[in-house]
Amino acid sequence: MRKRFKVLLAVLSLLVLSACAGSPAPDAAREAVVLGFSQLGAESSWRIANTASVKAAAEEYGFGLMAENANQKQEKQIDAIRSFIAYRVDVIAFSPIVETGWDNVLAEARQAKIPVILVDRMIDSPDESLYTAFVGADFYAEGRRAGEYLLRKADAIHAEHLRVAELCGTPESTPMRDRQRGFLDVVEKDDRIEILESLNGDFLRSKGEECMKTLLEKYGVGGIDVIYSHNDSMTLGALDVLEQSGAAPGRDILMITVDGEKEAVDALKAGKINCVVQCTPDLGKDLMELVRGLKEGREIPRITHPQEGVFCDFDDLTDPSVEGF
Ligand code: GYE
């Protein structure tokens, strides 16, 4: 009996010692956290960098991560969220591909008392209790920055009339809606600006190419003055087509894009793009801070927006801070 008691005591003190020798108590709590993350797909360099940021940050914070990629399918995201609920993860994070259609599955998460954090994109629902927090860019502000650049450029080149074609991201997604609205709110009342048309390029490079071909067939290089594209992937696709057709993007057609991936920033430096509105994919750490806050029972901010700006041909592009992700 005495011997068994001694062994038990030894095991207990070892446990206590190892807990003390390792990380402090809050870290031990962190290790117990499991986060379910449903990424919407891998449509762009932005998305790939965003997935990497979430994975690296989960590792840094010592959180368990169940990550699922939905390959651009809302049903797959819904299935992933249901599997996270069944697994009883501590927190669910997901990037909704479109804004509507989430009410049922998020009500199931609420019923299971699992908090939900929206990453990158928003949902559109009258029920605000379906999610606890949002971390991602202010897309409306990004659209406005694109519009403000265009008006500044119009002044600088003394333009009287600028015909704009818009390459849009995935229909019904938050960045598509808000980048369009923000841009229009700035340029709409300026009678130098004419919007020729808005085409859906689904945030894909291949569709950016297709859209640019369609535009060239319809208007010719001389019939378009500005391309405003909702992301770099579509812009880079359009650049390929323009260059193949012998046009000089950046000079014959002003190119305005959103994201800031390395290839686009290099094209800005080479004079093929005129303005890159930044949108950072690096949301991992902000997300993990929110998860940690929830786990520790703290009040967390409802909305977290990262700091973002603009790189454009009015800037000193040799400055080392002008770099892409
Ligand atoms: O701009 C685009 C991606 O939701 C901010 O989605 C994201 C957008 C990003 O495919 O490249």
Side-chain angles (χ1 to χ4, degrees):
M1 199 54 183
R2 266 179 75 89
K3 196 172 170 203
R4 265 166 79 191
F5 179 69
K6 269 189 188 163
V7 171
L8 186 65
L9 206 68
V11 170
L12 274 178
S13 47
L14 253 183
L15 280 178
V16 171
L17 269 180
S18 60
C20 298
S23 13
D27 281 350
R30 272 186 243 163
E31 269 153 35
V33 175
V34 175
L35 170 67
F37 174 56
S38 162
Q39 179 58 285
L40 65 90
E43 73 284 2
S44 61
S45 303
W46 190 98
R47 185 70 48 204
I48 290 162
N50 178 248
T51 305
S53 161
V54 170
K55 287 188 173 165
E59 204 167 313
E60 190 186 326
Y61 279 67
F63 297 161
L65 183 69
M66 290 178 74
E68 293 285 345
N69 187 320
N71 293 318
Q72 255 62 42
K73 300 229 163 31
Q74 180 172 31
E75 315 80 76
K76 284 193 80 176
Q77 287 203 279
I78 292 174
D79 287 349
I81 295 170
R82 289 218 164 98
S83 73
F84 299 151
I85 297 171
Y87 191 80
R88 304 210 52 79
V89 298
D90 299 285
V91 180
I92 292 173
F94 83 111
S95 300
I97 180 156
V98 290
E99 292 191 336
T100 53
W102 305 102
D103 293 46
N104 290 343
V105 73
L106 295 187
E108 289 165 31
R110 183 179 54 198
Q111 175 79 19
K113 299 201 169 23
I114 303 176
V116 171
I117 301 176
L118 303 179
V119 184
D120 165 36
R121 297 185 183 178
M122 262 292 178
I123 60 163
D124 180 11
S125 167
D127 186 350
E128 299 224 320
S129 72
L130 289 176
Y131 66 94
T132 305
F134 166 83
V135 53
D138 181 342
F139 302 124
Y140 179 77
E142 291 173 353
R144 289 194 66 96
R145 286 182 197 120
E148 280 152 11
Y149 165 81
L150 182 57
L151 297 191
R152 185 175 170 202
K153 188 75 179 177
D155 291 343
I157 61 174
H158 308 292
E160 284 174 3
H161 186 204
L162 290 173
R163 295 154 300 178
V164 182
E166 184 181 27
L167 306 186
C168 296
T170 307
E172 310 299 311
S173 71
T174 321
M176 183 270 145
R177 283 168 185 253
D178 289 359
R179 286 174 183 165
Q180 180 168 68
R181 192 69 262 150
F183 181 76
L184 283 180
D185 280 353
V186 172
V187 303
E188 217 164 32
K189 284 177 230 92
D190 192 310
D191 40 330
R192 291 171 299 179
I193 310 295
E194 178 192 352
I195 308 290
L196 289 174
E197 64 179 290
S198 302
L199 289 90
N200 170 31
D202 243 337
F203 286 128
L204 293 169
R205 187 165 182 148
S206 57
K207 286 213 184 160
E209 278 178 32
E210 275 172 37
C211 290
M212 197 65 241
K213 282 183 191 153
T214 309
L215 287 168
L216 284 184
E217 272 162 29
K218 196 159 166 190
Y219 303 99
V221 179
I224 307 164
D225 303 301
V226 182
I227 296 286
Y228 167 46
S229 160
H230 293 185
N231 88 337
D232 289 346
S233 297
M234 295 186 294
T235 310
L236 293 166
L239 278 190
D240 289 344
V241 171
L242 283 169
E243 291 194 302
Q244 278 156 23
S245 77
R251 269 194 294 124
D252 297 339
I253 298 184
L254 296 174
M255 305 294 293
I256 305 174
T257 186
V258 189
D259 272 356
E261 67 175 83
K262 190 170 181 316
E263 202 178 335
V265 174
D266 287 348
L268 169 72
K269 290 178 181 171
K272 297 175 184 181
I273 289 180
N274 306 82
C275 174
V276 175
V277 176
Q278 272 183 296
C279 178
T280 178
D282 224 348
L283 303 174
K285 278 197 184 175
D286 284 342
L287 170 61
M288 299 314 152
E289 278 302 320
L290 295 173
V291 173
R292 177 153 76 183
L294 284 174
K295 200 54 199 167
E296 291 173 359
R298 278 188 279 118
E299 183 86 12
I300 60 167
R302 177 88 174 154
I303 306 277
T304 305
H305 287 315
Q307 279 278 331
E308 291 169 339
V310 170
F311 298 135
C312 71
D313 54 9
F314 292 118
D315 299 332
D316 170 11
L317 298 175
T318 60
D319 189 302
S321 67
V322 182
E323 59 165 1
F325 56 80

